[in-house]
Amino acid sequence: PFLIRAIRQAFFPGSFILNMNSLKIVSWNLLYRQGAAVCDIARVIGQIAQKITDPQSGTHWGTYHYCGAPMTNWYQFASTIIAEGRKYHSLQTKNILAINTVDYPTVAQRPKYSALCCDKILDRFNIQQVNWQSELQYVLKVLSRSNI
């Protein structure tokens, strides 16, 4: 859902990114996020549902993390969205500027490192992380055709 919202906000009518000359994105050195497209999340949920309804598979209760790979930061994520988006839309954004945390004041405290560990979902359900960049390309292609 986050990836879809970010792309919609970035590339469709009324978007602030379409009309910005420069875009400032926080580039934390150790704060990593990975995106996950809705279609990939649906695949993962389907695989988990299949396993937990199989009486032979045992109990799999717990908290599981899932996201795409490889790890990235917000600046790299935004830069990739803009670069891929240019294939489908004419964007006015010329510069994507990496800024430090202190240059982006927020009430919320940011952790030094917040990568999701997907080892447990791999071990218990054999669910592999997909490449978020490939998923991004697919989502942008679909959205550009549907004009959402």
Side-chain angles (χ1 to χ4, degrees), residues 23-147:
L23 181 61
K24 295 179 181 178
I25 303 291
V26 174
S27 177
W28 289 284
N29 290 337
L30 296 176
L31 180 61
Y32 291 94
R33 300 277 190 211
Q34 301 105 311
V38 171
C39 50
D40 189 37
I41 293 170
R43 173 189 67 85
V44 170
I45 291 170
Q47 287 181 350
I48 291 172
Q50 212 170 21
K51 295 266 183 164
I52 64 174
T53 57
D54 178 5
Q56 304 288 339
S57 71
T59 304
H60 298 288
W61 297 106
T63 301
Y64 296 90
H65 298 285
Y66 180 79
C67 59
M71 288 194 298
T72 189
N73 61 37
W74 283 116
Y75 172 75
Q76 293 168 336
F77 188 58
S79 296
T80 304
I81 291 173
I82 295 293
E84 290 298 320
R86 283 193 174 119
K87 295 177 182 177
Y88 303 98
H89 291 283
S90 174
L91 303 177
Q92 292 180 7
T93 304
K94 303 288 185 249
N95 302 308
I96 302 171
L97 309 169
I99 61 173
N100 293 315
T101 305
V102 295
D103 298 323
Y104 186 79
T106 178
V107 176
Q109 292 183 350
R110 303 291 178 193
K112 300 278 185 217
Y113 184 82
S114 67
L116 291 177
C117 178
C118 300
D119 293 346
K120 185 176 175 183
I121 201 167
L122 175 64
D123 293 342
R124 298 267 172 91
F125 299 110
N126 197 31
I127 293 175
Q128 301 281 330
Q129 292 173 272
V130 299
N131 184 296
W132 65 265
Q133 294 150 324
S134 300
E135 290 293 300
L136 173 65
Q137 291 169 355
Y138 172 75
V139 168
L140 284 171
K141 186 183 293 185
V142 169
L143 288 176
S144 70
R145 289 182 184 160
S146 64
N147 205 16

